[in-house]
Amino acid sequence: MNIQIDQPAGAQLAARFVQAAGAFTRHRLFTADMLVQFGASPVRVCIRDGAVVQMQTQLPPMCTWDFAVRASEHAWQEFWRATPAAGWHDIFALSKSGELEILGNLQPLMANLQYVKDLLATGREENP
Amino acid sequence: MSAELEPITGRYVHLDIAGRSCRVYFEEAGSGIPLVCLHTAGADSRQYRHLMCDEAVTSRFRVIAFDMPWHGKSYPPQGWQDTEYQLTTQQYVQTILAFCDALAVDRPALIGCSIGGRIVLELARLHAERFRALIGVEAADFQQPWYDTSWLHRGDVHGGEVCAALVSGLVAPQSPAVYRHETLWQYMQGGPGVFRGDLYFYRVDGDLRGRLDGIRTDVCPLYLLTGEYDFSCTPEDTLRTAASIPGAQVTIMRELGHFPMSENPQQFRGYLLPVLDAVASRSAAR
């Protein structure tokens, strides 16, 4: 018997992010561990000297991170549309409307903000 | 000569603002009705470069854009190194009026974006008789803050980069990449603490909620244009503001964000030209 179990939306989004951002790199002295959460599904992104070197969807016990970005599955789906609607197009637009949370030590985030914004946008659909 | 020369020319003018001498850079193009242009916080007059090269505008308007002191090619006033820059409502009004007086422009039309849009409302309130039309782009009496401005000026974060990265989300996704990145480059080039100092006016000193009674749009027409992707000055902020000003004419602009004239000049002119047509018609009828 072949039983197919659908992945929950959060896990699907996390998998999409891992695929899209796994090779992300910029010429930048930036090292941090970031947690990105899609509903209940986490991805821990390890960045070393501007390159994503590891993405974990199964977090080990006592896992630590520098800062986290968390939003619902719906918010990420809207954010990742090829042309997002107004209000869903930027992490601070989502934060202002209460759809996204930014937590932790914000210094590495703010010192590398465009890097992180570009990294988070890698999951965006392509224009047809 | 075969080189492509733009019609923009730049000069410096010396202004006395609140007893301090300021050397102010401005650019202009065109002839006709003077149209004074105010840039956004933390940026400079380059935001109006497309407007100054648009013949549909410059054939009828003398477009003049200046860099506020501390911005672009205008130095801070002498002694700046011992002060913290904080733009106040009073200073901002004085600067605009001093510039218009120095150039002896007769009842100009004026367009301002973001902080320039906010000060348009103050000019409409207190100095309507000095202008033939006021155009507030991304203008409202107040906006809810969406980040802590202390991140804009501190030792462990590059000020230019964080300013640009923050405002990058205010550019509409439809805006051409070349103009998106030009707009952000302006923010990367701002002086340390200048964007933050401008936001003192925007967030602390220039709250106009409940203070817009008595604006006479019959004396000076007021036009408000806001981009749908602006989550800083939202369409709702502008509509609320317009509702409190009898006669204010408001348009919400599709596929534009917080920097319409800079981020997507082609899309913006579709909304601005009808306003300028109305300004020109009214001027011709008087």
Side-chain angles (χ1 to χ4, degrees):
Chain A
M1 193 166 64
N2 185 13
I3 301 174
Q4 188 165 347
I5 301 172
D6 287 340
Q7 260 188 324
Q12 286 179 30
L13 290 161
R16 178 168 151 191
F17 182 54
V18 169
Q19 186 164 29
F24 188 87
T25 184
R26 291 278 190 277
H27 184 68
R28 188 170 186 89
L29 289 175
F30 174 34
T31 290
D33 294 329
M34 167 173 70
L35 183 73
V36 186
Q37 199 150 338
F38 304 85
S41 299
V43 178
R44 182 170 176 262
V45 185
C46 301
I47 302 158
R48 299 292 177 269
D49 292 331
V52 171
V53 296
Q54 189 180 25
M55 300 181 87
Q56 297 170 297
T57 53
Q58 303 296 320
L59 303 190
M62 302 182 72
C63 172
T64 64
W65 36 265
D66 296 295
F67 59 90
V69 179
R70 292 176 171 165
S72 66
E73 293 94 334
H74 174 67
W76 287 111
Q77 283 160 349
E78 292 299 320
F79 177 71
W80 276 350
R81 288 195 189 281
T83 305
W88 299 91
H89 62 291
D90 181 74
I91 59 170
F92 287 97
L94 293 167
S95 162
K96 186 179 181 187
S97 63
E99 293 285 347
L100 180 144
E101 257 188 322
I102 301 173
L103 309 164
N105 174 16
L106 300 194
Q107 193 280 332
L109 168 67
M110 298 305 279
N112 300 280
L113 184 56
Q114 195 61 58
Y115 179 104
V116 175
K117 281 186 164 192
D118 292 346
L119 176 64
L120 293 175
T122 53
R124 189 157 283 157
E125 298 161 3
E126 299 206 358
N127 270 308
Chain B
M1 192 167 66
S2 61
E4 183 188 339
L5 287 177
E6 295 188 6
I8 302 169
T9 57
R11 299 189 71 177
Y12 291 89
V13 61
H14 291 256
L15 306 180
D16 184 87
I17 301 166
R20 304 182 80 184
S21 177
C22 295
R23 181 172 181 259
V24 166
Y25 178 72
F26 69 98
E27 295 182 340
E28 66 172 292
S31 60
I33 300 165
L35 174 64
V36 174
C37 306
L38 306 178
H39 58 73
T40 62
D44 58 65
S45 64
R46 284 175 292 179
Q47 290 181 325
Y48 289 95
R49 76 177 188 90
H50 306 286
L51 197 61
M52 286 191 275
C53 291
D54 186 339
E55 278 193 27
V57 177
T58 55
S59 60
R60 297 174 293 163
F61 289 86
R62 178 187 174 197
V63 185
I64 313 165
F66 69 97
D67 293 343
M68 290 277 289
W70 299 81
H71 300 71
K73 295 173 83 170
S74 298
Y75 284 127
Q78 196 175 348
W80 66 270
Q81 67 276 12
D82 300 321
T83 63
E84 181 189 358
Y85 171 62
Q86 284 190 329
L87 181 66
T88 66
T89 309
Q90 190 180 18
Q91 275 170 25
Y92 201 0
V93 169
Q94 284 175 340
T95 303
I96 296 162
L97 297 183
F99 180 77
C100 293
D101 287 345
L103 266 64
V105 288
D106 173 36
R107 289 186 63 242
L110 182 141
I111 181 171
C113 186
S114 184
I115 60 166
R118 176 78 62 80
I119 207 67
V120 154
L121 300 173
E122 182 75 352
L123 295 172
R125 194 170 78 87
L126 296 178
H127 300 285
E129 75 291 346
R130 293 196 51 155
F131 298 92
R132 73 182 66 203
L134 290 164
I135 306 165
V137 182
E138 316 310 316
D141 53 7
F142 175 77
Q143 290 116 255
Q144 285 295 338
W146 50 279
Y147 64 93
D148 177 354
T149 60
S150 68
W151 287 105
L152 303 178
H153 188 209
R154 48 187 273 169
D156 57 354
V157 175
H158 186 286
E161 285 193 338
V162 74
C163 291
L166 277 164
V167 304
S168 67
L170 298 176
V171 177
Q174 296 87 350
S175 292
V178 61
Y179 299 138
R180 161 186 292 272
H181 292 290
E182 271 191 16
T183 302
L184 300 182
W185 185 252
Q186 294 154 13
Y187 277 83
M188 292 177 184
Q189 290 189 307
V194 171
F195 187 28
R196 186 178 180 209
D198 284 337
L199 295 181
Y200 178 79
F201 159 70
Y202 212 35
R203 290 202 182 174
V204 181
D205 192 55
D207 184 346
L208 292 177
R209 284 176 294 180
R211 297 174 56 198
L212 296 178
D213 289 348
I215 287 181
R216 293 274 310 273
T217 55
D218 56 328
V219 173
C220 177
L222 176 64
Y223 303 91
L224 300 177
L225 307 172
T226 290
E228 64 173 337
Y229 277 89
D230 188 346
F231 67 86
S232 179
C233 174
T234 65
E236 292 73 26
D237 289 328
T238 301
L239 291 167
R240 178 196 67 239
T241 303
S244 70
I245 307 171
Q249 298 177 60
V250 60
T251 304
I252 304 306
M253 303 182 288
R254 295 190 64 242
E255 299 187 359
L256 284 165
H258 192 72
F259 314 95
M261 63 285 175
S262 181
E263 68 176 67
N264 194 343
Q266 189 63 29
Q267 180 75 358
F268 181 50
R269 76 194 292 276
Y271 293 100
L272 183 63
L273 287 178
V275 171
L276 296 180
D277 289 345
V279 174
S281 297
R282 184 181 159 101
S283 294
R286 289 170 78 109

